[in-house]
Amino acid sequence: MRYTQSYGVCHTHSGALPPNKNLWRTYNISIRNPGDTFQPYRISYVSNRHQNDAENPDYAEANLPQFFVSLVNDLNQIPQQDMLDRVRDTTLIPAPLREALPQATLLQMDEQAPDTGYRHLLGDIPADHTNKAWTVFKHNVLDADCCLAQENIEKYNQMTAAAIAEGERLTCPLLFGGGWSNGAGLHEQCLEQAEKIAAWVLPKQTS
């Protein structure tokens, strides 16, 4: 498996998506030219679709303003003026939302925990980007080699789980899981993988 570095940016720049809004989906991936295979793919989430649950009484029917999260290989692909600001003061967040946030997030906003991701490896960050809502992280490249490796991981997991279920004492009873080891690493793929491994290891409890 190969790994690459990308930026995750929270923004309101609709130019990251097709001009025709009827083409927008929750996940939007730009189609590249055949010669661009060595460039990381770019995906943009329409957060209003991703987070807005129609069953929720607070559902925003107008879906405005539009918020996006884009995975890009260059911060300059998103105009700085369209990037959201990072919120550090928890008192600025409405109480119901603040109470729903994970404790780790609240600690980080109060600067009681280090930044996540790899921002600290970037050196000097331009002043106009310091307080913007973006991060940098490493992730696997989903290509043919990665897909083959994931197939081998699943076979290994299945054999190892079967041995565990039979009560064998393995030297290294290790199973692999997580976004990098199954498909594109979407939440539902991680859940599917976890359920599959649980069924292999605990067949009686999950049958």
Side-chain angles (χ1 to χ4, degrees):
M1 290 188 181
R2 295 186 298 116
Y3 282 77
T4 187
Q5 177 176 295
S6 296
Y7 297 92
V9 186
C10 301
H11 62 94
T12 58
H13 179 56
S14 60
L17 284 89
N20 184 355
K21 291 186 178 181
N22 292 324
L23 299 177
W24 291 7
R25 298 296 183 265
T26 302
Y27 305 94
N28 304 270
I29 300 178
S30 301
I31 298 177
R32 304 176 302 192
N33 294 323
D36 294 337
T37 54
F38 290 101
Q39 293 296 323
Y41 71 89
R42 187 174 79 180
I43 182 171
S44 291
Y45 301 84
V46 180
S47 297
N48 302 61
R49 291 173 178 262
H50 193 263
Q51 303 289 344
N52 220 359
D53 183 359
E55 299 300 321
N56 189 316
D58 295 328
Y59 176 71
E61 294 184 9
N63 276 336
L64 296 173
Q66 294 282 358
F67 295 104
F68 312 104
V69 177
S70 293
L71 183 71
V72 297
N73 62 330
D74 185 347
L75 275 178
N76 293 320
Q77 292 178 345
I78 305 298
Q80 179 267 335
Q81 64 269 21
D82 293 330
M83 294 181 183
L84 300 184
D85 293 328
R86 302 182 78 192
V87 178
R88 289 296 191 184
D89 186 354
T90 56
T91 62
L92 299 177
I93 304 174
L97 178 58
R98 185 169 64 248
E99 293 169 1
L101 290 174
Q103 186 64 24
T105 300
L106 294 174
L107 289 174
Q108 183 171 327
M109 293 175 65
D110 288 336
E111 298 186 354
Q112 297 181 41
D115 285 330
T116 56
Y118 294 83
R119 289 172 67 120
H120 63 287
L121 300 178
L122 295 180
D124 294 332
I125 300 172
D128 55 357
H129 283 74
T130 301
N131 293 315
K132 293 299 180 179
W134 62 270
T135 192
V136 61
F137 57 95
K138 295 180 180 179
H139 60 90
N140 62 300
V141 178
L142 187 61
D143 55 12
D145 290 336
C146 179
C147 292
L148 178 59
Q150 290 180 348
E151 290 179 9
N152 292 331
I153 287 173
E154 181 170 12
K155 293 176 182 177
Y156 167 83
N157 279 346
Q158 188 171 10
M159 290 189 298
T160 303
I164 294 173
E166 291 297 325
E168 294 185 30
R169 298 182 62 85
L170 303 177
T171 303
C172 184
L174 181 66
L175 297 168
F176 294 92
W180 63 276
S181 63
N182 187 44
L186 301 178
H187 295 145
E188 54 268 32
Q189 291 175 318
C190 294
L191 176 60
E192 177 188 36
Q193 183 189 45
E195 291 177 339
K196 185 182 296 184
I197 291 177
W200 288 340
V201 177
L202 305 169
K204 294 182 180 179
Q205 286 86 337
T206 55
S207 60

